[in-house]
Amino acid sequence: METSVAKQIGNDYQIKKNMTFRHEETPQGGRFFISANHENYGHIDYEWQGDVMAITHTVVAPAHQGKGIAKMLLDEVARYARLHQKKLRAVCPYVVKMFARDAAYDDVKVE
């Protein structure tokens, strides 16, 4: 499934209109990608633990680090979880940090 990235109002980063998300899922887990102009900017991996998406890994291409790409990926995973009534478990250190720092994920996170 591929969706366009909408401009986030109030966030501290700008999003190019040509960026898209792609989601690939398997019975064991899946991956969300973010790309633009046929270039992969990064991805976030998860494994299914029952109905919980355990986020295991976040990767951003070196050329795009520090631009809010990891947060965009996490926001997309959280949007997906809300839409499908799923919960998220932070395994990846970046997601652990974001869950502790940002209450915006309180409705989807589990310990």
Side-chain angles (χ1 to χ4, degrees):
M1 177 171 65
E2 195 168 298
T3 57
S4 292
V5 179
K7 187 170 185 172
Q8 304 288 316
I9 298 172
N11 288 339
D12 59 356
Y13 52 84
Q14 295 294 319
I15 301 174
K16 297 178 181 177
K17 290 183 180 180
N18 60 345
M19 293 180 85
T20 58
F21 288 110
R22 189 175 83 250
H23 178 207
E24 294 178 0
E25 187 172 7
T26 69
Q28 296 79 27
R31 177 175 283 179
F32 285 82
F33 299 88
I34 189 168
S35 60
N37 301 320
H38 306 289
E39 179 185 356
N40 184 21
Y41 282 36
H43 65 268
I44 194 165
D45 297 332
Y46 65 92
E47 297 173 358
W48 286 112
Q49 295 178 348
D51 282 344
V52 174
M53 300 168 72
I55 302 173
T56 57
H57 202 60
T58 304
V59 176
V60 175
H64 300 292
Q65 291 177 356
K67 298 178 182 177
I69 301 297
K71 183 168 184 335
M72 286 185 248
L73 284 162
L74 180 55
D75 289 348
E76 178 65 8
V77 174
R79 185 197 67 76
Y80 177 89
R82 289 179 185 106
L83 184 65
H84 297 280
Q85 291 94 33
K86 302 297 182 191
K87 294 291 184 179
L88 305 176
R89 177 171 290 122
V91 177
C92 164
Y94 171 77
V95 178
V96 170
K97 178 180 75 173
M98 291 303 293
F99 277 10
R101 180 190 302 179
D102 194 338
Y105 305 110
D106 286 354
D107 64 319
V108 292
K109 72 180 182 181
V110 295
E111 299 299 321

